[in-house]
Amino acid sequence: MGVHSRGCAGAATKARGKDKFAMDRGDLWAGQREQSRRAVEPLAVRMRPRTLDEFAGQKHILGTGKLLRRMLEADVITSLILHGPPGTGKTTLAELIAKFTKRHFERENASSVGVKRIREILDEAALRLERSGRRTVLFLDEIHRFTKPQQDVLLADVERGILTLVGATTENPLFAVNSALVSRSTLFRLEPLSEDDIVDVLRRAIADNERGYGALHLSVDDDALKVWATKSDGDARRALTALEVAALSLLKDQQRSKSEATGEFDHAALRIDRAAAEDSIQQKAAVYDGTGDEHYNSISAFIKSVRGSDPDAAIYWLARMLDAGEDPRFIARRLAILASEDIGNADPRGIMVAQSAWELLERIGMP
């Protein structure tokens, strides 16, 4: 479950490194600064899994006997590329891999890291290996932004095993990542979490006394959990954020009521129903790139739905593309190709209907 904000991840990592160095040098305020940072961490960050057993979903790669589990148990982790939608656990899985294999963990963002920093990490990894025998995992977020010069610096040490590279991307690495890096890596796709997995994550956060809301004795209706599990669309981060919004807003309302009345404040009265759940989450925006992988996946699913005579599926994919901002002329063009190549003489009127729809779209536009 990847739940850290990407934009500030590098800065936070460097700040923690500086404070650790400061504590080693006897800085009395370093611990307080670390505590202040932890105090503002959102629920999604606090509830990050700490062991592989806590990790939600991805049984196709982490289940008993599956490839990644075998690699971990045999400690033969090579360079990995984790790809999949946001909120499926790419960053967290990289941290757990380093923890499980007892390797040092370094984290950088491929869009901001420079060649100089890469060389520093390589030198430190080699020195760490020589002095203590401990290997290093370098996690690169947004690895599809990795440039050719950065790759050239990294490849030699990755091949020799001095550094284990774990990359994460929401793009298809076969298209978005340099081929030399792909050929040296094992690719794992992380799927969106199922509704049951999301509900399990939410229940764990509700019951956790240390990191979650166990101390509040929250009562959450099953309908409310269902709303979050459905609307989060497989993204654990969104579901936990919705729980946090609902719980803290309800807590504020109760505290305000307490100040206006007499008597003890009853935490057990905190209850989240379906209406409160609906008000604490928005419908997830479609992850869609007009030139990326999702663009081609969606139009392919649309065409196959029409070809398979499934009108409900065809309408769904058509609505999904239009709602995400796809150019309707692109869809009309693909329908014309479909009518010509796939339907053909089975229904000669198909090409006429497709042509008419295309012409009206060009002349009038969308309704």
Side-chain angles (χ1 to χ4, degrees), residues 304-315:
K304 288 176 180 176
S305 299
V306 177
R307 186 189 302 151
S309 300
D310 189 340
D312 291 338
I315 292 296

Side-chain angles (χ1 to χ4, degrees), residues 93-229:
L93 183 55
E95 293 181 353
L96 291 177
I97 288 171
K99 187 175 181 180
F100 188 90
T101 56
K102 296 181 173 58
R103 303 186 186 190
H104 178 78
F105 185 77
E106 292 280 354
R107 173 176 176 165
E108 296 289 345
N109 191 298
S111 62
S112 59
V113 66
V115 172
K116 179 181 178 182
R117 174 58 184 154
I118 291 177
R119 291 189 187 278
E120 289 176 356
I121 293 173
L122 291 174
D123 291 341
E124 292 167 2
L127 194 60
R128 189 176 297 111
L129 183 64
E130 293 166 0
R131 289 182 174 178
S132 64
R134 192 182 184 196
R135 301 173 70 178
T136 301
V137 168
L138 170 60
F139 174 69
L140 275 178
D141 205 1
E142 307 285 355
I143 196 172
H144 57 277
R145 301 183 185 277
F146 211 41
T147 65
K148 187 67 167 59
Q150 292 167 321
Q151 175 185 303
D152 291 341
V153 172
L154 196 56
L155 286 180
D157 284 343
V158 166
E159 268 191 319
R160 289 185 295 160
I162 293 176
L163 187 80
T164 301
L165 175 66
V166 179
T169 177
T170 56
E171 304 288 335
N172 186 333
L174 295 176
F175 299 122
V177 180
N178 292 322
S179 57
L181 205 55
V182 170
S183 67
R184 291 164 172 80
S185 305
T186 304
L187 275 57
F188 288 106
R189 175 169 176 80
L190 275 65
E191 302 292 345
L193 274 64
S194 68
E195 291 187 7
D196 288 341
D197 288 332
I198 295 290
V199 170
D200 288 343
V201 169
L202 290 169
R203 290 191 187 280
R204 191 183 304 144
I206 293 167
D208 193 305
N209 287 315
E210 178 189 351
R211 299 177 292 162
Y213 295 132
L216 295 182
H217 305 293
L218 271 180
S219 171
V220 183
D221 292 356
D222 289 342
D223 285 347
L225 295 174
K226 179 70 174 178
V227 166
W228 291 329

Side-chain angles (χ1 to χ4, degrees), residues 206-283:
I206 293 167
D208 193 305
N209 287 315
E210 178 189 351
R211 299 177 292 162
Y213 295 132
L216 295 182
H217 305 293
L218 271 180
S219 171
V220 183
D221 292 356
D222 289 342
D223 285 347
L225 295 174
K226 179 70 174 178
V227 166
W228 291 329
T230 302
K231 286 196 171 186
S232 62
D233 197 21
D235 187 335
R237 184 190 295 113
R238 282 180 54 81
L240 286 169
T241 300
L243 169 61
E244 184 173 32
V245 170
L248 294 185
S249 60
L250 185 58
L251 182 61
K252 290 290 185 184
D253 289 343
Q254 294 280 30
Q255 290 173 340
R256 192 178 303 112
S257 299
K258 176 191 174 184
S259 65
E260 296 172 355
T262 60
E264 292 297 324
F265 177 50
D266 184 8
H267 283 300
L270 292 175
R271 174 174 173 264
I272 300 175
D273 57 14
R274 181 185 180 93
E278 293 275 8
D279 291 338
S280 62
I281 189 172
Q282 288 183 324
Q283 192 68 38

